[in-house]
């Protein structure tokens, strides 16, 4: 299967991801989360991730991808609101940006890779809200993103082409660690009860 053909399946995959997410909230997590707040904050953070991913796009022809600043908002989502919103906003927000800017062939992979990034950052930052915990979480999240894209690129384009995008993806990860992690830490210090917005 040609890599570009995958783009034809991007929209139904993203639609299924949204349905699965809301089913998880309303059915499985109904006792743990306030539905309205989770939905609203998920939408806001997803929009921020999408906009941040779109606002600056530097194409990388060898892998038919692009470098962006979306990881700043992916990591901020996880740091502020934990793994649930971090995973959804990171995965769906980033994949949506792919789908609407001509990179739909990347959207299914982005959904998984950026979703895992937001999930891990959110999980660690939720368990350890101090500076060290947030730093560790964002570093691991950045590593997941860089290595995830690298593995997919090696599979479809070969090792040499995959190496071309590593510096750019590393820059994305560093920007996420500094901006997303840094702003998230500052907000949590100033407003330590921010997680109460989505918890009962």
């Amino acid at each position: 299967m040609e890599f570009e053909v995958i783009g034809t399946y991007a929209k139904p995959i993203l639609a299924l991801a949204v349905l699965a997410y809301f089913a998880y909230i309303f059915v499985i997590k109904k006792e743990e989360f306030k539905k309205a707040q989770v939905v609203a904050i998920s939408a806001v953070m997803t929009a921020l991730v999408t906009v941040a991913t779109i606002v600056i796009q530097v194409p990388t022809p060898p892998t038919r991808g692009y470098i962006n600043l979306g990881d700043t908002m992916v990591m901020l989502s996880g740091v502020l609101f934990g793994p649930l919103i971090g995973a959804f906003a990171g995965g769906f927000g980033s994949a949506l940006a792919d789908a609407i800017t001509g990179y739909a062939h990347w959207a299914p992979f982005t959904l998984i890779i950026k979703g895992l990034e937001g999930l891990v950052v959110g999980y660690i930052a939720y368990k350890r809200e101090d500076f060290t915990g947030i730093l560790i979480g964002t570093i691991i999240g950045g590593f997941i993103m860089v290595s995830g894209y690298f593995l997919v690129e090696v599979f479809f384009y070969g090792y040499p082409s995959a190496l071309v995008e590593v510096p750019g993806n590393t820059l994305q990860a560093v920007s996420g660690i500094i901006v997303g992690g840094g702003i998230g830490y500052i907000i949590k210090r100033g407003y330590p009860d921010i997680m109460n917005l989505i918890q009962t």
Side-chain angles (χ1 to χ4, degrees):
M1 179 186 297
E2 290 290 332
F3 185 50
E4 286 71 15
V5 175
I6 297 173
T8 61
Y9 300 99
K11 290 182 179 178
I13 289 173
L14 295 183
L16 285 174
V18 173
L19 290 174
Y21 177 72
F22 288 119
Y24 182 74
I25 292 174
F26 291 126
V27 179
I28 300 175
K29 288 287 186 177
K30 61 182 179 180
E31 298 298 328
E32 186 175 344
F33 291 97
K34 296 178 180 178
K35 302 181 188 72
Q37 287 90 325
V38 173
V39 172
I41 293 172
S42 295
V44 169
M45 298 312 297
T46 297
L48 288 175
V49 170
T50 303
V51 171
T53 304
I54 291 174
V55 69
I56 295 178
Q57 292 184 323
V58 181
T60 53
T63 60
R64 296 183 177 89
Y66 62 99
I67 306 304
N68 60 83
L69 297 177
D71 294 275
T72 57
M73 294 298 104
V74 174
M75 293 192 185
L76 181 64
S77 299
V79 169
L80 291 182
F81 300 111
L84 182 67
I85 291 176
F88 180 76
F92 183 71
S94 303
L96 183 61
D98 286 350
I100 64 180
T101 58
Y103 296 92
H105 50 280
W106 271 109
F109 302 103
T110 292
L111 179 68
I112 296 170
I113 295 169
K114 294 294 185 83
L116 283 174
E117 177 186 349
L119 176 72
V120 170
V121 171
Y123 179 78
I124 296 176
Y126 178 72
K127 293 294 183 181
R128 288 191 56 177
E129 298 185 346
D130 60 309
F131 177 81
T132 302
I134 292 174
L135 180 61
I136 291 172
T138 52
I139 289 174
I140 295 175
F143 176 77
I144 288 171
M145 185 272 292
V146 174
S147 59
Y149 279 112
F150 179 74
L151 291 174
V152 175
E153 289 158 2
V154 167
F155 181 80
F156 284 105
Y157 298 113
Y159 186 76
S161 294
L163 279 178
V164 172
E165 198 164 313
V166 170
N169 283 338
T170 301
L171 179 62
Q172 284 185 204
V174 172
S175 70
I177 293 167
I178 295 174
V179 178
I183 293 176
Y185 174 71
I186 291 170
I187 292 175
K188 291 186 91 168
R189 281 197 66 185
Y191 185 50
D193 293 330
I194 194 166
M195 282 294 292
N196 290 338
L197 291 174
I198 60 172
Q199 290 179 332
T200 55

